[in-house]
Amino acid sequence: MNVAEFFGGGNGSRADRIRGVKYAFLIVLGTISVAYHLWYTRTFGVEGDQHLIVHLGLMLVGAAVLAFEPAPDSLRERLGNVATLLEAGAAAATTVYLFRSYERIVYEQLGIYTDLDLFAGLMMILLLLDICRRVYGPMLSLVGLSGIVYAIYGPYFPGILHHTGVEPVRLVQGLTVEFGSGVFGVITQVSATFIVIFMILAGLLEAYGALEYFIQIGTLVGNRVRSGLAQMTTVASMGMGSVNGSAAANAATTGAFTIPLLKRHGLDEDTAASFEAVASSGGQIMPPIMGAAAFIMAQITGTSYLEIITVGLLPALLFYGTVAIGVHLTTLKEGLDADVDSSDLNELDVGSQERDDALEAVFGRSTSDVSFNEVTLRNLVVEGISLWVPLAVLLYTLVVLLWDPLYAGFWSILSAIPAAFLQSVVLTDEYDVGDFVMDTLDGFGRGLENAAPIAVSLGVMNVFVGVLNLTGFTQAFASSLVELSGGVMVLLLVFAMVAALLFGLGMPTVAAYITAVLLIAPALTEAGVPLLTAHFFVFYFAILSALTPPVAIACLVASEVSGGSFWRTAKKSLVLGGPLFIVPYIFVVNESLLYWNGLETAGTFLLMVIALAGTSAALIDNLSGSLRLPVRGVLLASAGLVMFAPALPAATLVRIGAAAVLVGTLLWQSSLTKARASELLGRVGS
């Protein structure tokens, strides 16, 4: 194959060959990356900053290859492929240079940098910006680029944006070769330790059948409630979202299975897409993994990872409980109440056909998916060994032994491999050692594919954060936000919400959280909001930006999978997810939801579940039937009083009275609807 054929479009077989080469390279690089990161976690065999250089280099090369398009349709895509491979090579060369020059730069020259040092630093910045653009689109790279422009041209900006400016050479130094800050700052340190280890674990779990298993769990749950088919979407997306930490990726992978199934049973494409979009958005808040943001939050706040997942548990349950209620009410309103049938499950593919074909080309074989023929308790135990054993190890080492999350993640990975061997080779008939080896290597490749885009995006965010630190803009923005609100807490929270949603448009959740929290959280804490409360408030709205037009990335991906309208999907997602926009305000007012306090926490949690259920019923306009406008108004008003009673005089009396009205209205309306249905059936029968 000559160069023109390799980079050209052409027939499918050529694209298949190139795709096979791409995945083979990602698996090899992923295996090298896994071996290196596990070795470093166990030995800390190189200095911390040198480890960051190696980590970022591996991730840059992996992300560049991941962006390579095996079947380009245009000259622009073909040229993009050439540029992508050149960037991968440049990233490898820059990494080798910085690693080999590290001791000279840090210990011998003492702040005196050669032109080649500065060029390598500049190359690292440019590679981060462009490779990030290739894997995530332009938005995040524009954030990093705007930070650089702002740093250099600060004297020309007005008001709080004004600063004395940073010389370009000084900027490159501060962001790269000075190490310890900028590109190699705290956020990259988290990426190179906690995040990459847990993304490796996530890749292995995916390769060992986590998605299929979560669908089985969803099937088991779904067949026990009237909205069972739709609830499978909620359960599967919650499980996968916690593992992979990406709303868009969750909507694409889980949605490729759930959306066609929902459509097959009569749900329209926009409603099916909205179910998947909303359910996919919240996986990052579900302990124990919480995507990747939990580790960033722990590092920024100086709080233990265990405390982060403890504080985040009840809000996450409120989030998904509300989603489950909304999905149930919408399903009943739309008339979909079919059970999940095993034949439906067997006819639908839960994986990427392109990936399956590429892996078969690489290994000369394909493995069997988890069987859906019979969803039983025994099968759920056997087929869940590779998932529950590493999660049990993780929880035991974190909660009981109180180990560092990095070390706990290390042992979770090591436990996943023999657990998967037991599950697949020992306890499954149609699966041999070759299949196990193939899935394990595929898991290493998936780990790289999970970690590389996140690491590159965090590198770009470190550029932005480095600029904020150099210019002092963070403190100025926080002070101006407090001043704009006039010290009124409600206004400050609303401004913080709007800012977090805007910062999150079109950006990965972790990057959106970092941007928003650095600029907004200081204003909240300055106004008296506890540190973790402020971070979770911002974090939730960074997540919800995936549902917020005009970008609404989760809705965009889900609508593309469903073949429906983006705007109708976004509208239905906002109705379904409307109560979720209230949840952050709830835990600001009701701090016992975050900081547990025995019976008070239990009582508050139960009341919040009821209040959010009433809110969902009012917004969706259904409670086993349509609701009259005055009833919806009573539900919204009483639910609001229950949720925000602590901010009002006579809080206890207000909450008790509002809760009584809310529960009474729900029971009355439900019984009234059933009576109407019985009367209607009687008339039809006569």
Side-chain angles (χ1 to χ4, degrees), residues 269-271 273-274 277 505-506 545-574:
E269 61 267 23
D270 300 315
T271 304
S274 70
L505 293 180
S545 66
L547 301 177
T548 310
V551 179
I553 186 66
C555 298
L556 178 63
V557 173
S559 64
E560 289 178 352
V561 173
S562 73
S565 162
F566 164 73
W567 288 106
R568 288 196 298 269
T569 297
K571 179 181 177 181
K572 291 194 172 188
S573 297
L574 289 176

Side-chain angles (χ1 to χ4, degrees), residues 379-502:
N379 286 346
L380 288 174
V381 171
V382 171
E383 294 166 2
I385 290 174
S386 64
L387 175 66
W388 295 118
V389 167
L391 289 183
V393 170
L394 176 64
L395 291 176
Y396 178 76
T397 52
L398 284 174
V399 178
V400 179
L401 301 181
L402 300 179
W403 285 0
D404 182 271
L406 181 62
Y407 204 44
F410 171 83
W411 284 107
S412 296
I413 291 171
L414 293 190
S415 69
I417 296 173
F421 182 85
L422 174 64
Q423 169 190 299
S424 56
V425 178
V426 177
L427 299 177
T428 304
D429 294 332
E430 299 178 1
Y431 197 95
D432 59 25
V433 175
D435 295 324
F436 168 73
V437 172
M438 172 183 165
D439 281 345
T440 301
L441 292 175
D442 180 36
F444 293 159
R446 288 174 186 256
L448 178 71
E449 293 174 39
N450 289 333
I454 294 176
V456 171
S457 70
L458 293 181
V460 173
M461 288 310 305
N462 254 333
V463 171
F464 184 70
V465 171
V467 168
L468 295 182
N469 291 333
L470 286 171
T471 60
F473 176 72
T474 305
Q475 293 78 11
F477 183 83
S479 299
S480 64
L481 201 61
V482 173
E483 183 179 348
L484 183 64
S485 68
V488 179
M489 179 61 74
V490 175
L491 284 179
L492 179 60
L493 292 174
V494 171
F495 292 156
M497 174 191 73
V498 173
L501 290 174
L502 290 175

Side-chain angles (χ1 to χ4, degrees), residues 233-591:
T233 301
T234 305
V235 176
S237 298
M238 177 183 67
M240 285 304 297
S242 179
V243 170
N244 65 28
S246 170
N250 199 0
T253 54
T254 314
F257 176 84
T258 59
I259 291 174
L261 188 59
L262 291 172
K263 289 170 61 180
R264 175 176 296 187
H265 282 269
L267 207 63
D268 70 84
E269 61 267 23
D270 300 315
T271 304
S274 70
F275 283 4
E276 184 58 50
V278 175
S280 294
S281 299
Q284 301 94 305
I285 63 172
M286 182 56 67
I289 296 179
M290 294 177 67
F295 308 109
I296 300 282
M297 190 183 298
Q299 189 73 26
I300 294 176
T301 61
T303 308
S304 72
Y305 171 74
L306 179 59
E307 184 173 354
I308 294 294
I309 62 175
T310 302
V311 167
L313 178 60
L314 293 184
L317 293 178
L318 282 179
F319 189 104
Y320 266 103
T322 304
V323 173
I325 292 169
V327 165
H328 179 74
L329 295 177
T330 305
T331 300
L332 298 184
K333 183 179 182 179
E334 298 286 341
L336 178 71
D337 59 358
D339 289 338
V340 185
D341 189 88
S342 60
S343 62
D344 292 321
L345 298 173
N346 287 324
E347 291 174 13
L348 292 170
D349 187 10
V350 299
S352 164
Q353 189 60 50
E354 287 187 354
R355 185 185 195 91
D356 293 342
D357 292 342
L359 292 175
E360 187 168 1
V362 172
F363 293 101
R365 64 196 299 164
S366 60
T367 60
S368 301
D369 289 330
V370 175
S371 171
F372 291 111
N373 290 329
E374 188 177 5
V375 181
T376 65
L377 182 60
R378 184 264 176 195
N379 286 346
L380 288 174
V381 171
V382 171
E383 294 166 2
I385 290 174
S386 64
L387 175 66
W388 295 118
V389 167
L391 289 183
V393 170
L394 176 64
L395 291 176
Y396 178 76
T397 52
L398 284 174
V399 178
V400 179
L401 301 181
L402 300 179
W403 285 0
D404 182 271
L406 181 62
Y407 204 44
F410 171 83
W411 284 107
S412 296
I413 291 171
L414 293 190
S415 69
I417 296 173
F421 182 85
L422 174 64
Q423 169 190 299
S424 56
V425 178
V426 177
L427 299 177
T428 304
D429 294 332
E430 299 178 1
Y431 197 95
D432 59 25
V433 175
D435 295 324
F436 168 73
V437 172
M438 172 183 165
D439 281 345
T440 301
L441 292 175
D442 180 36
F444 293 159
R446 288 174 186 256
L448 178 71
E449 293 174 39
N450 289 333
I454 294 176
V456 171
S457 70
L458 293 181
V460 173
M461 288 310 305
N462 254 333
V463 171
F464 184 70
V465 171
V467 168
L468 295 182
N469 291 333
L470 286 171
T471 60
F473 176 72
T474 305
Q475 293 78 11
F477 183 83
S479 299
S480 64
L481 201 61
V482 173
E483 183 179 348
L484 183 64
S485 68
V488 179
M489 179 61 74
V490 175
L491 284 179
L492 179 60
L493 292 174
V494 171
F495 292 156
M497 174 191 73
V498 173
L501 290 174
L502 290 175
F503 288 139
L505 293 180
M507 292 174 63
T509 301
V510 175
Y513 161 68
I514 293 170
T515 307
V517 83
L518 289 175
L519 295 176
I520 300 169
L524 296 178
T525 55
E526 185 178 332
V529 178
L531 181 62
L532 280 183
T533 305
H535 275 254
F536 269 95
F537 184 88
V538 172
F539 180 37
Y540 267 63
F541 283 115
I543 289 170
L544 291 171
S545 66
L547 301 177
T548 310
V551 179
I553 186 66
C555 298
L556 178 63
V557 173
S559 64
E560 289 178 352
V561 173
S562 73
S565 162
F566 164 73
W567 288 106
R568 288 196 298 269
T569 297
K571 179 181 177 181
K572 291 194 172 188
S573 297
L574 289 176
V575 172
L576 176 63
L580 305 178
F581 288 80
I582 306 173
V583 171
Y585 292 94
I586 290 176
F587 59 66
V588 169
V589 176
N590 301 273
E591 291 188 356

Side-chain angles (χ1 to χ4, degrees), residues 71-93:
D73 295 326
S74 64
L75 177 61
R76 180 179 179 180
E77 288 187 352
R78 290 193 287 272
L79 292 175
N81 279 346
V82 175
T84 295
L85 295 184
L86 290 175
E87 287 180 341

Side-chain angles (χ1 to χ4, degrees), residues 586-647:
I586 290 176
F587 59 66
V588 169
V589 176
N590 301 273
E591 291 188 356
S592 63
L593 290 173
L594 297 180
Y595 313 103
W596 297 5
N597 186 21
L599 291 177
E600 181 184 355
T601 296
T604 301
F605 179 77
L606 179 60
L607 287 172
M608 295 307 108
V609 170
I610 296 171
L612 288 168
T615 304
S616 292
L619 292 178
I620 294 170
D621 186 20
N622 187 71
L623 188 65
S624 300
S626 182
L627 302 173
R628 292 190 175 93
L629 188 60
V631 174
R632 297 170 68 188
V634 170
L635 288 175
L636 288 174
S638 56
L641 291 174
V642 170
M643 291 185 284
F644 300 109

